[in-house]
Amino acid sequence: MAYGQKTEHRLRMRAQVVLHAAHGRSNARIARETGLHLDTVRTWRNRFAALGLTGLADRKRSGRPPRFTALQVAQVKALACRLPFDAGAPLSHWSCPEPAREAMARDP
């Protein structure tokens, strides 16, 4: 994972921090060699020590909850793939908000 070409960059850097630590290097030396900040190195070493490999993954982030369910999103995408006339809408082409508006009108 630390040297994989298809591994996401930030995950590869976290794995390299752990690998350097396994070789007995200090936080300061790891920070110098990887180009990361000392606090970043300290964070990833602590998370790996506490949680193992799962600690290297991103934590769930807070944010606004989704406004639409997965089913509603799929319905809008399916509607957008059809011509408006075939879907029963009096339009020649879809603009961005129109498929969502049409899908919401169909499903109360």
Side-chain angles (χ1 to χ4, degrees), residues 39-100:
D39 291 339
T40 304
V41 171
R42 193 175 298 126
T43 296
W44 292 116
R45 283 188 72 171
N46 289 338
R47 283 199 198 167
F48 180 77
L51 303 170
L53 279 178
T54 57
L56 298 183
D58 285 339
R59 290 182 176 169
K60 188 163 176 81
R61 295 177 185 243
S62 63
R64 186 178 79 183
R67 293 178 58 188
F68 302 104
T69 66
L71 179 61
Q72 289 173 322
V73 171
Q75 288 172 340
V76 170
K77 287 179 181 180
L79 187 62
C81 289
R82 298 172 58 194
L83 290 173
F85 181 77
D86 295 340
L91 303 167
S92 60
H93 64 280
W94 294 117
S95 66
C96 255
E98 287 165 351

Side-chain angles (χ1 to χ4, degrees), residues 25-33 36 38 41-42 45:
R25 296 189 176 114
S26 69
N27 288 350
R29 182 174 174 191
I30 296 171
R32 258 193 327 273
E33 290 177 0
L36 298 173
L38 181 61
V41 171
R42 193 175 298 126
R45 283 188 72 171

